[in-house]
Amino acid sequence: MKTFIQIQRYGDYGDREPVKAEGATQNQADWPLWEVFIRSKMGLDHKHVGSLHAADAQMAIENARDVYTRRQEGISIWVVESKYIHASNPDEAASFYDPANDKVYRHPTFYDLPDELKAM
Amino acid sequence: MEKQATINLEQQFQDRVDQDIRIEPKDWMPEKYRQTLIRQISQHAHSEIVGMLPEGNWITRAPSLRRKATLIAKVQDEAGHGLYLYSAAETLGISRAEMIDQLHTGKAKYSSIFNYPTLTWADIGAIGWLVDGAAIMNQVPLCRTSYGPYARAMVRICKEESFHQRQGFEILLTLSRGTEAQKAMCQDAINRWWWPSIMMFGPADDASPHTAQSMKWKIKRFTNDELRQKFVDICAEQVKILGMELPDPELKWNAERGHYDFGKINWEEFWQVISGNGPCNKERIAARVKAHEEGAWVREAAISFANKRAQKQRPAVA
Ligand SMILES: [Fe+2]
Ligand SMILES: [Fe+2]
């Protein structure tokens, strides 16, 4: 099976060199990670779409354009280095959001009003 | 952690999964779930990236500007798919460098289909129709997978895949209405890609021991054989539009089952290709390693440039 294929070399991508010894890519640090936020059209919020690696902010924005807006999904891009994102702790969600649990009167449906009352 | 506490956490976790509440990166999850996901998502990412090679092979020889532009766009999409998935895997605590290293040293696998060669232009059509078609069949249910970042990546990917399959079918359709030589080329490509494509769904259910656990965790929503049958049923109809045949003499509509019966898959070939003995395994990895190594100076230069610029922008200390 193998020899049959060896002749299929078109040269569009390198396939002439043998696979290098193991560990050839080790000890190379990744570029920093960035979170990407995109505004899909005017009037809408920027929304988190994913993350990517880039050496600096400008490269992050350009990469975000290529990775996340190939089909005109955005008109504005924000990037922020992931290490600067602070997040609430999901393990504490129960107590953290507790203050809102017993305040149904914050919703309009809480109030008993006659059906005849219009436009409210 | 105490054993009882872990059991409770696991139960809570399973309850959430059962209720179709997504699991997010900072949530507690069983270690085995994390490991299984890292393996599944990174393999998936590697497949997208390695999958660019057989098709990239034909970009310079596409028969028209239209075909060339669409093929470039498709291959570029696959790069994007790889990046979405690498990012999703990184949220589980593995670094990009580590994943790339696993691919290059052969520790990580990728879809065996990409170890077959693209011998003619018709192969680009067959890949779009069958390989992307099988990928779509696999990926659509994963839009509802239990791990949030993975599910969101899949939603984006699935939106982009449908053009891939349609452009492939269009290539085959054009060839199927062409000269005798073009028709023969079309049939030949289908003959070579059909069996490897239906192998893409993975081993038969009775030979995939992890399916039950993965289904319970909802990181898999249908079994390999269920998806494969669905794919065969669809392709058996679509091939008629091409006026071509699928290379399986046992392919026959079974009214009782409401499905097409099909012949036996050569699993020996599947395991051979997975374990590194396919037609192009070595070439594929060599191409990836070469690209990575030859890009090393670019990565280093970009970091130096960024550091230098950051230093310049820092206000001078008196
Ligand atoms: Fe893809
Ligand atoms: Fe695709």
Side-chain angles (χ1 to χ4, degrees):
Chain A
M1 194 148 51
K2 187 119 197 315
T3 34
F4 166 60
I5 295 316
Q6 292 293 339
I7 45 164
Q8 302 303 328
R9 294 187 186 282
Y10 299 113
D12 285 1
Y13 59 87
D15 56 0
R16 285 171 182 79
E17 279 76 16
V19 181
K20 280 271 171 59
E22 281 186 20
T25 63
Q26 273 165 13
N27 302 324
Q28 280 193 5
D30 282 328
W31 282 338
L33 190 67
W34 300 74
E35 299 302 320
V36 181
F37 301 81
I38 288 179
R39 185 202 294 283
S40 56
K41 62 182 206 222
M42 286 311 261
L44 295 185
D45 295 321
H46 284 76
K47 195 174 154 230
H48 184 245
V49 294
S51 54
L52 49 75
H53 289 275
D56 59 22
Q58 194 190 336
M59 186 194 279
I61 288 174
E62 282 164 13
N63 286 359
R65 174 201 59 194
D66 294 341
V67 178
Y68 293 107
T69 67
R70 285 195 303 285
R71 288 173 177 76
Q72 298 170 296
E73 290 96 334
I75 52 154
S76 168
I77 297 174
W78 287 350
V79 294
V80 58
E81 237 187 289
S82 308
K83 66 180 180 192
Y84 295 122
I85 301 259
H86 299 268
S88 61
N89 184 352
D91 296 340
E92 290 161 7
S95 60
F96 190 69
Y97 298 107
D98 175 68
N101 283 352
D102 55 357
K103 299 184 177 59
V104 275
Y105 46 82
R106 282 176 171 164
H107 298 276
T109 46
F110 176 75
Y111 299 91
D112 261 333
L113 295 174
D115 291 344
E116 303 89 81
L117 182 69
K118 299 290 180 212
M120 187 181 286
Chain B
M1 200 180 295
E2 274 175 57
K3 206 168 168 211
Q4 187 55 43
T6 312
I7 291 170
N8 286 340
L9 282 171
E10 275 198 45
Q11 192 49 53
Q12 279 171 22
F13 171 87
Q14 190 60 50
D15 288 346
R16 276 184 73 172
V17 170
D18 292 343
Q19 291 169 56
D20 274 325
I21 299 172
R22 296 272 191 275
I23 307 302
E24 294 296 339
K26 288 182 129 197
D27 295 335
W28 186 89
M29 60 187 84
E31 195 44 35
K32 198 77 200 305
Y33 175 84
R34 181 192 303 277
Q35 292 304 329
T36 307
L37 269 178
I38 287 179
R39 190 166 7 91
Q40 185 172 328
I41 301 174
S42 67
Q43 281 181 10
H44 193 160
H46 296 325
S47 303
E48 302 281 356
I49 297 298
V50 176
M52 296 162 74
L53 298 172
E55 290 182 293
N57 186 28
W58 277 90
I59 287 175
T60 55
R61 287 164 297 145
S64 70
L65 189 57
R66 180 177 187 271
R67 295 286 186 220
K68 187 170 181 157
T70 49
L71 185 55
I72 290 173
K74 178 188 189 288
V75 172
Q76 198 184 6
D77 271 355
E78 307 300 4
H81 298 174
L83 293 174
Y84 306 151
L85 289 162
Y86 281 132
S87 296
E90 280 173 88
T91 64
L92 291 159
I94 185 170
S95 74
R96 182 80 57 100
E98 213 174 330
M99 284 186 275
I100 304 276
D101 207 56
Q102 288 179 350
L103 173 67
H104 292 180
T105 55
K107 222 182 121 194
K109 303 276 179 241
Y110 53 89
S111 185
S112 62
I113 192 91
F114 301 117
N115 291 314
Y116 290 85
T118 42
L119 303 179
T120 71
W121 170 251
D123 288 20
I124 300 304
I127 288 178
W129 175 40
L130 297 172
V131 178
D132 286 87
I136 292 169
M137 189 66 71
N138 259 326
Q139 289 168 354
V140 168
L142 291 177
C143 295
R144 294 183 298 119
T145 198
S146 61
Y147 187 59
Y150 189 25
R152 292 191 286 276
M154 288 324 304
V155 168
R156 199 167 294 122
I157 288 173
C158 287
K159 264 188 211 154
E160 299 180 352
E161 282 293 347
S162 84
F163 119 68
H164 296 184
Q165 198 187 16
R166 291 172 67 93
Q167 65 91 36
F169 199 84
E170 195 191 68
I171 289 171
L172 294 183
L173 193 62
T174 306
L175 291 171
S176 75
R177 291 169 178 170
T179 64
E180 283 311 308
Q182 286 172 318
K183 285 181 193 167
M185 190 163 100
C186 180
Q187 183 62 61
D188 170 63
I190 294 170
N191 290 349
R192 281 181 293 108
W193 289 94
W194 172 248
W195 289 103
S197 296
I198 64 171
M199 289 178 198
M200 278 176 73
F201 297 96
D205 290 348
D206 52 21
S208 39
H210 303 303
T211 295
Q213 180 59 268
S214 290
M215 301 266 289
K216 195 170 168 228
W217 279 335
K218 297 191 182 172
I219 51 187
K220 209 167 167 173
R221 313 281 321 225
F222 294 97
T223 73
N224 297 351
D225 285 334
E226 282 168 354
L227 291 170
R228 184 166 17 243
Q229 181 69 62
K230 228 170 136 187
F231 182 69
V232 170
D233 290 345
I234 289 174
C235 292
E237 291 299 320
Q238 290 177 341
V239 75
K240 294 178 186 167
I241 296 172
L242 296 173
M244 298 281 146
E245 273 175 7
L246 295 177
D248 180 358
E250 290 171 56
L251 186 78
K252 220 175 92 197
W253 177 250
N254 181 330
E256 213 173 288
R257 288 203 311 130
H259 289 291
Y260 276 89
D261 291 335
F262 55 99
K264 224 170 146 287
I265 292 173
N266 181 355
W267 291 115
E268 173 57 21
E269 176 182 328
F270 176 78
W271 293 115
Q272 280 294 326
V273 177
I274 287 268
S275 60
N277 300 319
C280 302
N281 296 55
K282 298 216 168 52
E283 286 83 345
R284 298 293 184 242
I285 292 302
R288 286 311 315 152
V289 170
K290 181 170 185 268
H292 192 71
E293 286 178 354
E294 292 185 351
W297 71 270
V298 179
R299 293 192 294 277
E300 282 158 24
I303 278 289
S304 312
F305 179 69
N307 287 343
K308 224 181 244 173
R309 196 158 57 177
Q311 225 138 47
K312 240 188 245 163
Q313 280 167 358
R314 210 165 290 148
V317 184

